[in-house]
Tab-separated table of all heavy atoms in Angstrom:
chain	number	residue	atom	x	y	z
J	30	LEU	N	-12.191	6.693	-6.396
J	30	LEU	CA	-11.136	5.686	-6.649
J	30	LEU	C	-11.007	5.445	-8.155
J	30	LEU	O	-11.980	5.655	-8.986
J	30	LEU	CB	-11.589	4.313	-6.064
J	30	LEU	CG	-11.667	4.260	-4.448
J	30	LEU	CD1	-12.253	2.848	-4.111
J	30	LEU	CD2	-10.211	4.344	-3.868
J	31	PRO	N	-9.728	5.098	-8.615
J	31	PRO	CA	-9.593	4.907	-10.001
J	31	PRO	C	-10.417	3.632	-10.480
J	31	PRO	O	-10.681	2.727	-9.678
J	31	PRO	CB	-8.089	4.632	-10.129
J	31	PRO	CG	-7.629	4.352	-8.803
J	31	PRO	CD	-8.604	4.939	-7.822
J	32	LEU	N	-10.677	3.453	-11.758
J	32	LEU	CA	-11.339	2.402	-12.274
J	32	LEU	C	-10.619	1.136	-12.321
J	32	LEU	O	-11.074	0.050	-12.238
J	32	LEU	CB	-12.009	2.704	-13.646
J	32	LEU	CG	-12.946	3.857	-13.745
J	32	LEU	CD1	-13.321	4.245	-15.128
J	32	LEU	CD2	-14.142	3.511	-12.927
J	33	LEU	N	-9.308	1.332	-12.543
J	33	LEU	CA	-8.328	0.205	-12.537
J	33	LEU	C	-7.363	0.424	-11.290
J	33	LEU	O	-6.764	1.513	-11.120
J	33	LEU	CB	-7.539	0.236	-13.766
J	33	LEU	CG	-8.285	-0.078	-15.082
J	33	LEU	CD1	-7.308	0.029	-16.248
J	33	LEU	CD2	-8.839	-1.460	-15.022
J	34	LEU	N	-7.264	-0.605	-10.509
J	34	LEU	CA	-6.453	-0.470	-9.280
J	34	LEU	C	-5.119	-1.196	-9.498
J	34	LEU	O	-5.017	-2.339	-9.984
J	34	LEU	CB	-7.136	-1.108	-8.143
J	34	LEU	CG	-8.538	-0.501	-7.808
J	34	LEU	CD1	-9.192	-1.365	-6.784
J	34	LEU	CD2	-8.405	0.836	-7.373
J	35	GLY	N	-4.040	-0.616	-9.052
J	35	GLY	CA	-2.682	-1.180	-9.038
J	35	GLY	C	-2.466	-1.997	-7.833
J	35	GLY	O	-3.314	-2.079	-6.925
J	36	VAL	N	-1.313	-2.533	-7.785
J	36	VAL	CA	-0.906	-3.410	-6.595
J	36	VAL	C	-1.020	-2.707	-5.301
J	36	VAL	O	-1.608	-3.180	-4.274
J	36	VAL	CB	0.472	-4.005	-6.834
J	36	VAL	CG1	0.874	-4.749	-5.572
J	36	VAL	CG2	0.528	-4.902	-7.981
J	37	THR	N	-0.531	-1.451	-5.230
J	37	THR	CA	-0.673	-0.592	-4.049
J	37	THR	C	-2.050	-0.301	-3.632
J	37	THR	O	-2.384	-0.507	-2.391
J	37	THR	CB	0.194	0.654	-4.197
J	37	THR	OG1	1.437	0.376	-4.619
J	37	THR	CG2	0.248	1.443	-2.989
J	38	ASP	N	-2.880	-0.039	-4.515
J	38	ASP	CA	-4.343	0.304	-4.190
J	38	ASP	C	-4.979	-0.988	-3.704
J	38	ASP	O	-5.813	-0.800	-2.762
J	38	ASP	CB	-5.042	0.762	-5.478
J	38	ASP	CG	-4.413	2.131	-5.977
J	38	ASP	OD1	-3.999	2.935	-5.243
J	38	ASP	OD2	-4.459	2.244	-7.241
J	39	VAL	N	-4.743	-2.140	-4.325
J	39	VAL	CA	-5.360	-3.355	-3.871
J	39	VAL	C	-4.942	-3.688	-2.427
J	39	VAL	O	-5.762	-4.078	-1.572
J	39	VAL	CB	-5.061	-4.473	-4.830
J	39	VAL	CG1	-5.549	-5.887	-4.253
J	39	VAL	CG2	-5.734	-4.275	-6.188
J	40	ALA	N	-3.658	-3.550	-2.114
J	40	ALA	CA	-3.090	-3.868	-0.815
J	40	ALA	C	-3.803	-2.930	0.187
J	40	ALA	O	-4.176	-3.385	1.362
J	40	ALA	CB	-1.650	-3.699	-0.829
J	41	ARG	N	-3.974	-1.691	-0.097
J	41	ARG	CA	-4.502	-0.715	0.873
J	41	ARG	C	-6.025	-1.056	1.052
J	41	ARG	O	-6.467	-1.013	2.210
J	41	ARG	CB	-4.451	0.630	0.339
J	41	ARG	CG	-3.077	1.274	0.465
J	41	ARG	CD	-3.080	2.657	-0.065
J	41	ARG	NE	-1.690	3.139	0.053
J	41	ARG	CZ	-1.305	4.258	-0.686
J	41	ARG	NH1	-2.110	4.834	-1.495
J	41	ARG	NH2	-0.043	4.537	-0.665
J	42	LEU	N	-6.744	-1.499	0.127
J	42	LEU	CA	-8.177	-1.759	0.212
J	42	LEU	C	-8.442	-3.048	1.018
J	42	LEU	O	-9.342	-3.173	1.792
J	42	LEU	CB	-8.802	-1.943	-1.155
J	42	LEU	CG	-9.215	-0.642	-1.850
J	42	LEU	CD1	-9.674	-0.932	-3.247
J	42	LEU	CD2	-10.184	0.159	-1.128
J	43	LEU	N	-7.407	-4.075	0.883
J	43	LEU	CA	-7.627	-5.317	1.552
J	43	LEU	C	-6.951	-5.267	2.843
J	43	LEU	O	-7.150	-6.256	3.661
J	43	LEU	CB	-7.014	-6.392	0.700
J	43	LEU	CG	-7.763	-6.696	-0.694
J	43	LEU	CD1	-7.036	-7.765	-1.533
J	43	LEU	CD2	-9.207	-7.026	-0.488
J	44	GLY	N	-6.008	-4.386	3.134
J	44	GLY	CA	-5.355	-4.336	4.336
J	44	GLY	C	-4.248	-5.380	4.535
J	44	GLY	O	-4.001	-5.846	5.682
J	45	VAL	N	-3.621	-5.759	3.431
J	45	VAL	CA	-2.499	-6.664	3.447
J	45	VAL	C	-1.304	-6.013	2.884
J	45	VAL	O	-1.369	-4.920	2.411
J	45	VAL	CB	-2.796	-7.935	2.585
J	45	VAL	CG1	-4.029	-8.725	3.207
J	45	VAL	CG2	-3.083	-7.578	1.168
J	46	GLY	N	-0.117	-6.611	3.065
J	46	GLY	CA	1.077	-6.003	2.650
J	46	GLY	C	1.217	-5.897	1.092
J	46	GLY	O	0.693	-6.730	0.337
J	47	VAL	N	1.877	-4.836	0.679
J	47	VAL	CA	2.053	-4.646	-0.708
J	47	VAL	C	2.898	-5.717	-1.296
J	47	VAL	O	2.716	-6.217	-2.422
J	47	VAL	CB	2.731	-3.223	-0.991
J	47	VAL	CG1	3.098	-3.024	-2.372
J	47	VAL	CG2	1.959	-2.127	-0.467
J	48	GLY	N	3.918	-6.211	-0.566
J	48	GLY	CA	4.787	-7.291	-1.011
J	48	GLY	C	4.010	-8.581	-1.336
J	48	GLY	O	4.317	-9.314	-2.321
J	49	THR	N	2.984	-8.858	-0.419
J	49	THR	CA	2.132	-10.052	-0.721
J	49	THR	C	1.340	-9.950	-1.980
J	49	THR	O	1.393	-10.827	-2.804
J	49	THR	CB	1.163	-10.280	0.505
J	49	THR	OG1	1.996	-10.391	1.664
J	49	THR	CG2	0.312	-11.450	0.323
J	50	VAL	N	0.691	-8.734	-2.071
J	50	VAL	CA	-0.121	-8.576	-3.280
J	50	VAL	C	0.657	-8.526	-4.619
J	50	VAL	O	0.296	-9.078	-5.656
J	50	VAL	CB	-0.913	-7.317	-3.182
J	50	VAL	CG1	-1.787	-7.003	-4.412
J	50	VAL	CG2	-1.906	-7.444	-1.934
J	51	ARG	N	1.944	-8.026	-4.418
J	51	ARG	CA	2.793	-7.972	-5.638
J	51	ARG	C	3.113	-9.339	-6.182
J	51	ARG	O	3.347	-9.528	-7.361
J	51	ARG	CB	4.056	-7.212	-5.270
J	51	ARG	CG	4.982	-6.924	-6.379
J	51	ARG	CD	6.132	-6.023	-6.005
J	51	ARG	NE	5.629	-4.673	-5.951
J	51	ARG	CZ	5.834	-3.869	-4.900
J	51	ARG	NH1	6.507	-4.254	-3.892
J	51	ARG	NH2	5.383	-2.641	-4.839
J	52	LYS	N	3.086	-10.389	-5.279
J	52	LYS	CA	3.378	-11.662	-5.702
J	52	LYS	C	2.264	-12.505	-6.328
J	52	LYS	O	2.356	-13.512	-7.025
J	52	LYS	CB	3.891	-12.554	-4.531
J	52	LYS	CG	5.258	-12.047	-3.930
J	52	LYS	CD	5.696	-12.730	-2.792
J	52	LYS	CE	6.843	-12.106	-2.120
J	52	LYS	NZ	7.173	-12.792	-0.751
J	53	TRP	N	0.983	-11.986	-6.134
J	53	TRP	CA	-0.171	-12.735	-6.578
J	53	TRP	C	-0.250	-12.766	-8.130
J	53	TRP	O	-0.540	-13.817	-8.675
J	53	TRP	CB	-1.444	-12.009	-6.109
J	53	TRP	CG	-1.689	-12.306	-4.654
J	53	TRP	CD1	-0.981	-13.139	-3.884
J	53	TRP	CD2	-2.664	-11.643	-3.867
J	53	TRP	NE1	-1.455	-13.053	-2.497
J	53	TRP	CE2	-2.569	-12.202	-2.550
J	53	TRP	CE3	-3.630	-10.655	-4.043
J	53	TRP	CZ2	-3.231	-11.706	-1.449
J	53	TRP	CZ3	-4.326	-10.223	-2.952
J	53	TRP	CH2	-4.240	-10.822	-1.722
J	54	PRO	N	-0.003	-11.620	-8.911
J	54	PRO	CA	-0.105	-11.789	-10.382
J	54	PRO	C	0.944	-12.667	-10.989
J	54	PRO	O	0.688	-13.284	-12.101
J	54	PRO	CB	0.028	-10.423	-10.944
J	54	PRO	CG	-0.066	-9.492	-9.694
J	54	PRO	CD	0.239	-10.246	-8.500
J	55	THR	N	2.089	-12.805	-10.367
J	55	THR	CA	3.214	-13.641	-10.923
J	55	THR	C	3.128	-15.113	-10.504
J	55	THR	O	3.806	-15.955	-10.978
J	55	THR	CB	4.562	-13.058	-10.512
J	55	THR	OG1	4.586	-13.158	-9.032
J	55	THR	CG2	4.658	-11.690	-10.920
J	56	GLY	N	2.235	-15.472	-9.527
J	56	GLY	CA	2.086	-16.830	-8.998
J	56	GLY	C	3.074	-17.156	-7.972
J	56	GLY	O	3.264	-18.359	-7.628
J	57	HIS	N	3.829	-16.304	-7.413
J	57	HIS	CA	4.837	-16.555	-6.418
J	57	HIS	C	4.254	-16.548	-4.962
J	57	HIS	O	4.939	-16.887	-4.089
J	57	HIS	CB	5.950	-15.496	-6.431
J	57	HIS	CG	6.806	-15.568	-7.680
J	57	HIS	ND1	6.615	-14.872	-8.754
J	57	HIS	CD2	7.909	-16.266	-7.874
J	57	HIS	CE1	7.487	-15.169	-9.702
J	57	HIS	NE2	8.319	-16.106	-9.131
J	58	ALA	N	2.968	-16.357	-4.848
J	58	ALA	CA	2.263	-16.492	-3.544
J	58	ALA	C	0.865	-16.994	-3.896
J	58	ALA	O	0.342	-16.558	-4.905
J	58	ALA	CB	2.253	-15.147	-2.868
J	59	PRO	N	0.286	-17.769	-2.998
J	59	PRO	CA	-1.153	-18.258	-3.302
J	59	PRO	C	-2.101	-17.179	-3.312
J	59	PRO	O	-2.045	-16.256	-2.476
J	59	PRO	CB	-1.427	-19.273	-2.162
J	59	PRO	CG	-0.273	-19.015	-1.229
J	59	PRO	CD	0.800	-18.324	-1.841
J	60	VAL	N	-3.021	-17.155	-4.318
J	60	VAL	CA	-4.012	-16.089	-4.528
J	60	VAL	C	-5.216	-16.661	-3.731
J	60	VAL	O	-5.543	-17.756	-3.782
J	60	VAL	CB	-4.326	-15.943	-5.981
J	60	VAL	CG1	-5.345	-14.974	-6.222
J	60	VAL	CG2	-3.079	-15.592	-6.701
J	61	PRO	N	-5.892	-15.712	-3.073
J	61	PRO	CA	-7.182	-16.090	-2.370
J	61	PRO	C	-8.190	-16.755	-3.356
J	61	PRO	O	-8.208	-16.380	-4.545
J	61	PRO	CB	-7.693	-14.805	-1.806
J	61	PRO	CG	-6.540	-13.903	-1.732
J	61	PRO	CD	-5.692	-14.272	-2.886
J	62	PRO	N	-8.913	-17.719	-2.895
J	62	PRO	CA	-9.916	-18.415	-3.800
J	62	PRO	C	-10.845	-17.392	-4.330
J	62	PRO	O	-11.428	-16.554	-3.634
J	62	PRO	CB	-10.585	-19.480	-2.865
J	62	PRO	CG	-9.711	-19.509	-1.606
J	62	PRO	CD	-8.934	-18.222	-1.542
J	63	GLY	N	-11.164	-17.540	-5.665
J	63	GLY	CA	-12.146	-16.700	-6.238
J	63	GLY	C	-11.684	-15.307	-6.507
J	63	GLY	O	-12.459	-14.453	-7.013
J	64	PHE	N	-10.407	-14.990	-6.320
J	64	PHE	CA	-9.951	-13.653	-6.559
J	64	PHE	C	-9.940	-13.235	-8.041
J	64	PHE	O	-9.700	-14.115	-8.864
J	64	PHE	CB	-8.473	-13.557	-6.090
J	64	PHE	CG	-8.009	-12.118	-5.875
J	64	PHE	CD1	-8.352	-11.298	-4.829
J	64	PHE	CD2	-7.164	-11.501	-6.885
J	64	PHE	CE1	-7.946	-10.024	-4.594
J	64	PHE	CE2	-6.717	-10.276	-6.706
J	64	PHE	CZ	-7.134	-9.450	-5.593
J	65	PRO	N	-10.390	-12.081	-8.316
J	65	PRO	CA	-10.489	-11.673	-9.740
J	65	PRO	C	-9.208	-11.810	-10.477
J	65	PRO	O	-8.108	-11.676	-9.986
J	65	PRO	CB	-11.030	-10.169	-9.752
J	65	PRO	CG	-11.493	-9.987	-8.355
J	65	PRO	CD	-10.742	-11.001	-7.430
J	66	LYS	N	-9.314	-11.898	-11.801
J	66	LYS	CA	-8.154	-12.054	-12.676
J	66	LYS	C	-7.416	-10.694	-12.841
J	66	LYS	O	-7.984	-9.807	-13.071
J	66	LYS	CB	-8.551	-12.604	-14.073
J	66	LYS	CG	-7.413	-12.897	-14.960
J	66	LYS	CD	-7.896	-13.518	-16.324
J	66	LYS	CE	-6.617	-13.772	-17.116
J	66	LYS	NZ	-6.885	-14.351	-18.441
J	67	TRP	N	-6.155	-10.724	-12.850
J	67	TRP	CA	-5.296	-9.583	-13.077
J	67	TRP	C	-5.221	-9.215	-14.628
J	67	TRP	O	-5.195	-10.152	-15.402
J	67	TRP	CB	-3.866	-9.688	-12.554
J	67	TRP	CG	-3.740	-9.725	-11.022
J	67	TRP	CD1	-3.987	-10.871	-10.251
J	67	TRP	CD2	-3.646	-8.665	-10.196
J	67	TRP	NE1	-3.861	-10.500	-8.935
J	67	TRP	CE2	-3.706	-9.111	-8.824
J	67	TRP	CE3	-3.466	-7.289	-10.374
J	67	TRP	CZ2	-3.546	-8.357	-7.757
J	67	TRP	CZ3	-3.260	-6.472	-9.260
J	67	TRP	CH2	-3.240	-7.021	-7.995
Side-chain angles (χ1 to χ4, degrees):
L30 291 172
L32 298 174
L33 295 175
L34 303 173
V36 170
T37 306
D38 298 327
V39 171
R41 285 183 186 159
L42 283 173
L43 297 178
V45 297
V47 176
T49 301
V50 177
R51 188 171 285 130
K52 294 176 187 177
W53 290 349
T55 60
H57 288 93
V60 180
F64 195 77
K66 185 176 178 178
W67 289 90

